[in-house]
Amino acid sequence: MLDWLVDLILPPRCGGCHLVGSWLCDGCRRKIRWLEEPLCRRCGAELDSRQDTCGCRTRIHALSRLRSAVAYEGPVEPLVHRFKYQGWRALARPLALLLCDRIVVEGLASSFVIPVPLHSERRRQRGFNQADLLARELRQHLNLRDLPGRLVRIRATRPQVGSDRLRRWENVSGAFAWRGGTLDGRSLMVVDDVATTGATLEACAAALKAAGSGPVIGVTVARVRI
């Protein structure tokens, strides 16, 4: 009833084009480009041909796989921007559903999902962690669980936007730690909104592996092609 009243007073508006009626309209949904094969088996980057390699194995060691649902272009850019920076929290559901489709198609298996954490100072500034909202939706739709304990960002890092590949990896190296009991070889899924080089998810996976986890899969809604 509360959701119905809110929608009546402030009806949903598409995060891609501002059309009233839904948080992601059919027109924008049709314009979204899904990532297509050939994809790198490890990091999920789009390749020009199956013979191409992306060189990720020299950088990605802790992550067993990284997969994203859609390309960071077209209506996905304003959708993610409004979700992440303008407080359109309701966009968590349609964005997470895009990711759910990829997870099911890829057959990615894990019992637990963990959001990429924000530093406490940035979380206070933003008011929420967008990865946490995505993780909640994934738990609901895919029957995943949360773990006792939490992944934390132990030092503030610069925003990754605008940094080159090397600086992205240096920026987040050693920035995360697990606060909780041993992970006892559990397979885990770490979720974020957008992947560019995979540096943030790799740093998260390294912290989880150091705490005794099993395979760590990274998943994001969108992927930037570089």
Side-chain angles (χ1 to χ4, degrees):
M1 178 62 73
L2 180 59
D3 289 342
W4 180 84
L5 288 173
V6 170
D7 287 348
L8 181 64
I9 299 170
L10 298 170
R13 186 178 294 271
C14 176
C17 67
H18 276 198
L19 182 69
V20 173
S22 66
W23 296 111
L24 175 56
C25 73
D26 290 341
C28 284
R29 191 183 300 274
R30 286 192 294 270
K31 294 176 184 176
I32 291 174
R33 187 175 71 81
W34 294 83
L35 297 185
E36 298 178 352
E37 296 285 353
L39 302 174
C40 173
R41 294 178 61 84
R42 173 64 66 87
C43 77
E46 288 185 302
L47 304 175
D48 293 329
S49 73
R50 295 190 182 278
Q51 287 71 44
D52 287 345
T53 59
C54 68
C56 69
R57 290 185 180 274
T58 63
R59 304 181 301 273
I60 294 180
H61 306 286
L63 278 174
S64 61
R65 292 181 79 184
L66 169 56
R67 283 295 181 269
S68 305
V70 299
Y72 187 65
E73 60 186 46
V76 173
E77 290 191 57
L79 279 163
V80 171
H81 190 273
R82 287 171 180 136
F83 172 51
K84 188 172 182 175
Y85 298 113
Q86 297 181 14
W88 289 37
R89 303 187 193 192
L91 291 175
R93 176 160 297 179
L95 290 172
L97 287 175
L98 296 175
L99 182 51
C100 284
D101 286 347
R102 172 64 71 180
I103 290 171
V104 171
V105 167
E106 293 275 351
L108 302 179
S110 180
S111 298
F112 304 94
V113 61
I114 299 171
V116 170
L118 288 177
H119 190 267
S120 57
E121 181 180 337
R122 189 170 299 170
R123 180 161 187 151
R124 281 194 299 271
Q125 293 171 349
R126 190 173 296 172
F128 66 100
N129 177 7
Q130 74 280 356
D132 189 38
L133 299 183
L134 292 171
R136 292 179 190 179
E137 294 292 336
L138 292 184
R139 292 186 194 110
Q140 177 181 343
H141 292 288
L142 298 176
N143 195 29
L144 300 175
R145 290 174 283 167
D146 196 4
L147 275 169
R150 61 195 180 102
L151 186 65
V152 297
R153 193 177 294 244
I154 56 178
R155 62 177 175 82
T157 56
R158 300 181 305 278
Q160 296 280 67
V161 176
S163 298
D164 61 25
R165 186 189 296 271
L166 178 59
R167 292 186 184 278
R168 284 173 179 268
W169 289 87
E170 292 175 343
N171 187 36
V172 294
S173 178
F176 302 95
W178 174 253
R179 297 287 186 257
T182 178
L183 294 173
D184 295 326
R186 293 183 173 98
S187 62
L188 306 175
M189 184 178 293
V190 184
V191 62
D192 205 0
D193 53 346
V194 178
T196 302
T197 63
T200 299
L201 288 163
E202 170 68 11
C204 289
L208 294 170
K209 297 285 283 189
S213 81
V216 180
I217 300 169
V219 295
T220 70
V221 175
R223 180 72 179 250
V224 178
R225 187 160 190 174
I226 55 175

